[in-house]
Amino acid sequence: MRMSKMFSKTLREAPSAADSKGYEMLLRAGFIRQMGAGIFTLLPLGYRTNSKIENIIREEMDQIGGQEILMPVVNPADIWKETGRYYSIDKEMSRFNDRANRDMVLAMTHEEDATAIARNEIGSYKKLPQLVYQIQTKWRDDARPRAGLIRVREFTMKDSYSFDRTVEGLNEQYKNHYASYFRIFSKAGLPVIVVGADSGMMGGKVSHEYMYLSPIGEDTIITCDKCGYTSNRQVAVFQKKYFKEEEKPIEKIKTPDCKTIEELCTFLNVEKRQTAKAVFMVGTFIDDKTGEEEEKLITAIIRGDLDVEENKLQKVAKANSLRPAHEEEILAANMVPGYGSAINCDPKTIVIVDDSVKKSNNLVAGANEKGYHLLNTNFGRDYTGKVADIASAKDGYTCQCGHTLKENRGIEVGNIFQLGTRYSEAMNCYFTDEDGKNKPVIMGSYGIGVGRFLACLAEEYTDEKGLSLPISVAPYQVHLINLIKDKALSEKIYEDLSNAGVEVLFDDRKESPGVKFTDADLIGIPIRITLGNRSVKEGKAEVKFRKNLDNNQLFDLDTLTSKILESIKTLKQELEQGIVNKELEI
RNA sequence: CGGAUAGUAGCGCAGAGGCUAGCGCACUUGCUUCGGGAGCAAGAUGUCGGAGGUUCAAGUCCUCUCUAUCCGACCA
């Protein structure tokens, strides 16, 4: 490609919206442009990198037996009504009516499509197992897109769907993806860790997320250096300390101006762990069949030294969504904000109690009366509710192995879910087994956000001068900079390299050397050839690697092409050495 | 969806009632230059986000609206 003919341009200054280094460089180097909130165009350079990422994914998916298909973005709403997600998913899914006034949706994922196809194609156990995948556009009307390509509304996703006869078969496909994803990310040079995760709206059981660790990430990851435990905070577990003593009789005491746990502890001179706090949320419950919504008050009781993990709470309560309760709603259920507890509350309230409270006793709790608390409250004796772990894991907490947990920020670039029969049963996707019986197909779904992958690579491979993507995903392999008058020579070198199959970005512009060098730094093609008077006179060209600009090598012009081919090979080999082969142990 | 901020040239920004709206970079042409964002000269570029209003006069003040960004809620 000749830079004199290139569609995009580079920017000297970063657009003001660029708030991360990677995003800034993607904009400045001319990889991407924004069209609207969470909507982007990939320019030629960005699209080439995007395609390379996609091809790495294809290679690996084919390797584990995937067959590529393409499902539609526009879906009839009917299939989404079958699984109930038409009702349970809120505004994030865009809906519209076609000219015949049929309900339509823009697919935000393709479990429904995949199942709808599979139920017609798969009738017999002889057809199983199957694995299909696609690389396709998704639209999710996120309320708050941010950080460039990290969190967008329209994006490309690789999604695969497995269909199996048995749970063992599903495990096999799941393990294949688990290992395959590590190879995919490492082939592109992106370091990731895998964490145990919540399956969210997918509704499955087992699930893992692939995380690129970065301070700009929106997920919090809890890890243990000793036993290797890694988990998204949403589901992370930890060791709680319990303090059991002899039960004492309940006692009401005056506690003026003690609305927070801190104030209460100071006033009574007790530790936080000797208190029980009440957190009031309102859960929305949606009927999958009818789409009817119902709101219920949820009272979460947790020990004062811990915080509620809302995601855990939502799951235990089986709510579709949660929001903080309003004061009136709490009062209506016979509880008093600031002095709340589940004691003598409205029986319609869903009470969920963290196991820390059950296993401790004589806790100070609200008396549901302004200015009063109760000493020595005990779960089981004074109130009841559903017991579960709803506590949020934090930095410094104790891992179940006894070591200290750490927290980090991460960006989710991939996820794998064991769906089981949730979709096949809801959508009547059954096969006839060897024994003549009809059984639901067992499914899994697996995703990689391609654009987010690109954004993470940009974060990882950026220095103060620009991008420096690995050779497997860089838009071109070689950047040829011509600084000499002799056009014939540079043209010949460009031709030779191209004919040898090298992907060359050729700077043939009438620009000053400084402009050419800065643009080359910015775009960050891995290998740079400079043709300048100094070296050409000696029959040589200068060659530098973008990742180490201080190291300048001189290659003979006669053998330049073959030497460059070697350099490409070397860079590829270095990357291959970094390929992660990791198996899931179930 | 709540809170905050901002919309003026391709990008970054100035102009805060006054007459023809400006600066840097980018862009065009010419000459010179040619190893780390060159110099000189000449030029082109705007419905000042949109609608309505106040005023002799609005980029500037008011109202509404749209859009974007950030924080939060939310999110695979």
Side-chain angles (χ1 to χ4, degrees), chain A residues 272-299:
Chain A
K272 281 187 184 176
R273 63 166 179 83
Q274 295 172 291
T275 67
K277 68 180 164 191
V279 178
F280 305 102
M281 306 293 291
V282 170
T284 307
F285 298 82
I286 300 170
D287 190 313
D288 272 0
K289 299 282 176 299
T290 62
E292 273 170 41
E293 286 188 25
E294 195 186 354
E295 286 197 331
K296 287 183 199 160
L297 184 69
I298 298 169
T299 303

Short mmCIF file of all heavy atoms in Angstrom, two decimals, chain A residues 272-299:
data_model
loop_
_atom_site.label_atom_id
_atom_site.label_comp_id
_atom_site.label_asym_id
_atom_site.label_seq_id
_atom_site.Cartn_x
_atom_site.Cartn_y
_atom_site.Cartn_z
N LYS A 272 -17.26 -3.42 64.07
CA LYS A 272 -18.23 -3.54 62.97
C LYS A 272 -18.78 -4.96 62.85
O LYS A 272 -19.93 -5.16 62.51
CB LYS A 272 -17.56 -3.15 61.65
CG LYS A 272 -17.45 -1.66 61.44
CD LYS A 272 -16.95 -1.43 60.03
CE LYS A 272 -16.72 0.04 59.75
NZ LYS A 272 -16.14 0.22 58.41
N ARG A 273 -17.90 -5.94 63.13
CA ARG A 273 -18.33 -7.32 62.96
C ARG A 273 -19.36 -7.74 64.01
O ARG A 273 -19.96 -8.81 63.93
CB ARG A 273 -17.14 -8.27 63.01
CG ARG A 273 -16.41 -8.27 64.35
CD ARG A 273 -15.48 -9.44 64.47
NE ARG A 273 -14.76 -9.42 65.72
CZ ARG A 273 -15.25 -9.88 66.87
NH1 ARG A 273 -16.48 -10.37 66.91
NH2 ARG A 273 -14.52 -9.83 67.97
N GLN A 274 -19.58 -6.89 64.99
CA GLN A 274 -20.59 -7.20 66.01
C GLN A 274 -21.94 -6.58 65.68
O GLN A 274 -22.84 -6.55 66.51
CB GLN A 274 -20.10 -6.70 67.38
CG GLN A 274 -18.85 -7.43 67.86
CD GLN A 274 -18.26 -6.80 69.10
OE1 GLN A 274 -17.74 -5.68 69.05
NE2 GLN A 274 -18.35 -7.50 70.21
N THR A 275 -22.05 -6.10 64.47
CA THR A 275 -23.32 -5.50 64.06
C THR A 275 -23.86 -6.22 62.82
O THR A 275 -23.13 -6.91 62.12
CB THR A 275 -23.13 -4.01 63.68
OG1 THR A 275 -22.32 -3.94 62.51
CG2 THR A 275 -22.46 -3.23 64.80
N ALA A 276 -25.15 -6.04 62.61
CA ALA A 276 -25.78 -6.55 61.39
C ALA A 276 -26.45 -5.38 60.70
O ALA A 276 -27.22 -4.65 61.33
CB ALA A 276 -26.80 -7.62 61.74
N LYS A 277 -26.12 -5.17 59.44
CA LYS A 277 -26.76 -4.05 58.76
C LYS A 277 -27.78 -4.56 57.74
O LYS A 277 -27.66 -5.68 57.24
CB LYS A 277 -25.74 -3.13 58.12
CG LYS A 277 -24.98 -3.71 56.96
CD LYS A 277 -23.99 -2.68 56.41
CE LYS A 277 -22.97 -3.35 55.52
NZ LYS A 277 -21.85 -2.47 55.17
N ALA A 278 -28.73 -3.71 57.48
CA ALA A 278 -29.78 -4.07 56.53
C ALA A 278 -29.61 -3.21 55.28
O ALA A 278 -29.44 -1.99 55.38
CB ALA A 278 -31.14 -3.84 57.15
N VAL A 279 -29.62 -3.86 54.12
CA VAL A 279 -29.53 -3.15 52.85
C VAL A 279 -30.84 -3.39 52.11
O VAL A 279 -31.25 -4.54 51.93
CB VAL A 279 -28.33 -3.64 52.02
CG1 VAL A 279 -28.28 -2.94 50.67
CG2 VAL A 279 -27.04 -3.44 52.79
N PHE A 280 -31.48 -2.30 51.73
CA PHE A 280 -32.81 -2.43 51.11
C PHE A 280 -32.75 -2.21 49.60
O PHE A 280 -32.30 -1.17 49.12
CB PHE A 280 -33.78 -1.42 51.72
CG PHE A 280 -33.87 -1.52 53.21
CD1 PHE A 280 -33.20 -0.61 54.03
CD2 PHE A 280 -34.60 -2.55 53.81
CE1 PHE A 280 -33.28 -0.71 55.41
CE2 PHE A 280 -34.67 -2.65 55.18
CZ PHE A 280 -34.01 -1.74 55.99
N MET A 281 -33.21 -3.21 48.87
CA MET A 281 -33.23 -3.11 47.41
C MET A 281 -34.63 -3.47 46.92
O MET A 281 -35.37 -4.17 47.61
CB MET A 281 -32.25 -4.12 46.78
CG MET A 281 -30.81 -4.05 47.29
SD MET A 281 -29.94 -2.53 46.86
CE MET A 281 -29.76 -2.74 45.10
N VAL A 282 -34.94 -3.00 45.73
CA VAL A 282 -36.19 -3.43 45.11
C VAL A 282 -35.83 -4.26 43.89
O VAL A 282 -35.06 -3.81 43.04
CB VAL A 282 -37.08 -2.24 44.73
CG1 VAL A 282 -38.26 -2.71 43.87
CG2 VAL A 282 -37.59 -1.56 45.97
N GLY A 283 -36.32 -5.46 43.85
CA GLY A 283 -36.04 -6.35 42.72
C GLY A 283 -37.20 -6.35 41.76
O GLY A 283 -38.35 -6.29 42.17
N THR A 284 -36.87 -6.41 40.46
CA THR A 284 -37.92 -6.57 39.45
C THR A 284 -37.94 -8.04 39.04
O THR A 284 -36.90 -8.62 38.74
CB THR A 284 -37.63 -5.69 38.23
OG1 THR A 284 -37.43 -4.36 38.68
CG2 THR A 284 -38.77 -5.72 37.24
N PHE A 285 -39.12 -8.60 39.05
CA PHE A 285 -39.29 -10.00 38.68
C PHE A 285 -40.17 -10.05 37.45
O PHE A 285 -41.27 -9.51 37.44
CB PHE A 285 -39.92 -10.79 39.83
CG PHE A 285 -39.06 -10.78 41.08
CD1 PHE A 285 -39.10 -9.70 41.95
CD2 PHE A 285 -38.20 -11.84 41.34
CE1 PHE A 285 -38.29 -9.69 43.09
CE2 PHE A 285 -37.41 -11.83 42.47
CZ PHE A 285 -37.44 -10.76 43.35
N ILE A 286 -39.66 -10.68 36.40
CA ILE A 286 -40.41 -10.71 35.15
C ILE A 286 -40.78 -12.15 34.82
O ILE A 286 -39.94 -13.05 34.84
CB ILE A 286 -39.59 -10.10 34.00
CG1 ILE A 286 -39.25 -8.65 34.33
CG2 ILE A 286 -40.37 -10.18 32.69
CD1 ILE A 286 -38.26 -8.02 33.38
N ASP A 287 -42.03 -12.35 34.53
CA ASP A 287 -42.50 -13.67 34.14
C ASP A 287 -42.06 -13.97 32.70
O ASP A 287 -42.41 -13.24 31.78
CB ASP A 287 -44.02 -13.73 34.25
CG ASP A 287 -44.55 -15.14 34.09
OD1 ASP A 287 -44.10 -15.84 33.14
OD2 ASP A 287 -45.38 -15.55 34.90
N ASP A 288 -41.30 -15.03 32.54
CA ASP A 288 -40.77 -15.41 31.22
C ASP A 288 -41.87 -15.67 30.20
O ASP A 288 -41.69 -15.49 29.01
CB ASP A 288 -39.92 -16.68 31.34
CG ASP A 288 -38.48 -16.34 31.67
OD1 ASP A 288 -38.18 -15.14 31.79
OD2 ASP A 288 -37.67 -17.26 31.79
N LYS A 289 -42.97 -16.16 30.69
CA LYS A 289 -44.03 -16.57 29.76
C LYS A 289 -44.89 -15.39 29.32
O LYS A 289 -45.23 -15.25 28.15
CB LYS A 289 -44.93 -17.62 30.42
CG LYS A 289 -44.20 -18.89 30.82
CD LYS A 289 -43.97 -19.79 29.62
CE LYS A 289 -43.16 -21.02 29.97
NZ LYS A 289 -41.80 -20.75 30.50
N THR A 290 -45.25 -14.56 30.27
CA THR A 290 -46.20 -13.49 29.97
C THR A 290 -45.56 -12.13 29.84
O THR A 290 -46.15 -11.22 29.27
CB THR A 290 -47.25 -13.39 31.09
OG1 THR A 290 -46.57 -13.06 32.31
CG2 THR A 290 -47.97 -14.71 31.28
N GLY A 291 -44.36 -11.98 30.37
CA GLY A 291 -43.70 -10.69 30.32
C GLY A 291 -44.18 -9.76 31.42
O GLY A 291 -43.83 -8.59 31.45
N GLU A 292 -45.02 -10.27 32.32
CA GLU A 292 -45.52 -9.42 33.40
C GLU A 292 -44.43 -9.09 34.42
O GLU A 292 -43.66 -9.96 34.81
CB GLU A 292 -46.68 -10.11 34.12
CG GLU A 292 -48.02 -9.84 33.44
CD GLU A 292 -49.12 -10.72 34.00
OE1 GLU A 292 -49.15 -10.91 35.22
OE2 GLU A 292 -49.91 -11.23 33.18
N GLU A 293 -44.42 -7.84 34.82
CA GLU A 293 -43.40 -7.39 35.77
C GLU A 293 -43.99 -7.23 37.16
O GLU A 293 -45.13 -6.84 37.32
CB GLU A 293 -42.84 -6.03 35.34
CG GLU A 293 -41.93 -6.12 34.15
CD GLU A 293 -41.24 -4.79 33.87
OE1 GLU A 293 -41.11 -3.99 34.80
OE2 GLU A 293 -40.87 -4.58 32.70
N GLU A 294 -43.15 -7.52 38.14
CA GLU A 294 -43.57 -7.32 39.52
C GLU A 294 -42.37 -6.83 40.31
O GLU A 294 -41.26 -7.30 40.10
CB GLU A 294 -44.06 -8.66 40.09
CG GLU A 294 -44.83 -8.51 41.38
CD GLU A 294 -45.18 -9.87 41.99
OE1 GLU A 294 -44.92 -10.90 41.35
OE2 GLU A 294 -45.68 -9.87 43.10
N GLU A 295 -42.61 -5.88 41.20
CA GLU A 295 -41.51 -5.38 42.03
C GLU A 295 -41.70 -5.85 43.47
O GLU A 295 -42.82 -5.82 43.99
CB GLU A 295 -41.47 -3.84 42.00
CG GLU A 295 -40.93 -3.29 40.71
CD GLU A 295 -40.51 -1.83 40.85
OE1 GLU A 295 -41.09 -1.12 41.67
OE2 GLU A 295 -39.57 -1.42 40.11
N LYS A 296 -40.60 -6.29 44.07
CA LYS A 296 -40.68 -6.72 45.47
C LYS A 296 -39.50 -6.15 46.24
O LYS A 296 -38.40 -6.04 45.70
CB LYS A 296 -40.62 -8.25 45.56
CG LYS A 296 -41.88 -8.96 45.11
CD LYS A 296 -41.73 -10.47 45.32
CE LYS A 296 -42.72 -11.24 44.48
NZ LYS A 296 -42.30 -12.63 44.28
N LEU A 297 -39.78 -5.83 47.50
CA LEU A 297 -38.72 -5.33 48.36
C LEU A 297 -37.83 -6.49 48.82
O LEU A 297 -38.33 -7.53 49.23
CB LEU A 297 -39.31 -4.61 49.57
CG LEU A 297 -38.28 -3.95 50.50
CD1 LEU A 297 -37.63 -2.76 49.82
CD2 LEU A 297 -38.92 -3.52 51.81
N ILE A 298 -36.54 -6.29 48.72
CA ILE A 298 -35.59 -7.29 49.19
C ILE A 298 -34.78 -6.67 50.31
O ILE A 298 -34.19 -5.60 50.14
CB ILE A 298 -34.66 -7.73 48.05
CG1 ILE A 298 -35.46 -8.38 46.92
CG2 ILE A 298 -33.59 -8.70 48.59
CD1 ILE A 298 -34.67 -8.61 45.67
N THR A 299 -34.75 -7.32 51.46
CA THR A 299 -33.94 -6.84 52.57
C THR A 299 -32.75 -7.78 52.74
O THR A 299 -32.93 -8.97 52.99
CB THR A 299 -34.75 -6.77 53.86
OG1 THR A 299 -35.88 -5.94 53.64
CG2 THR A 299 -33.93 -6.22 55.00
#
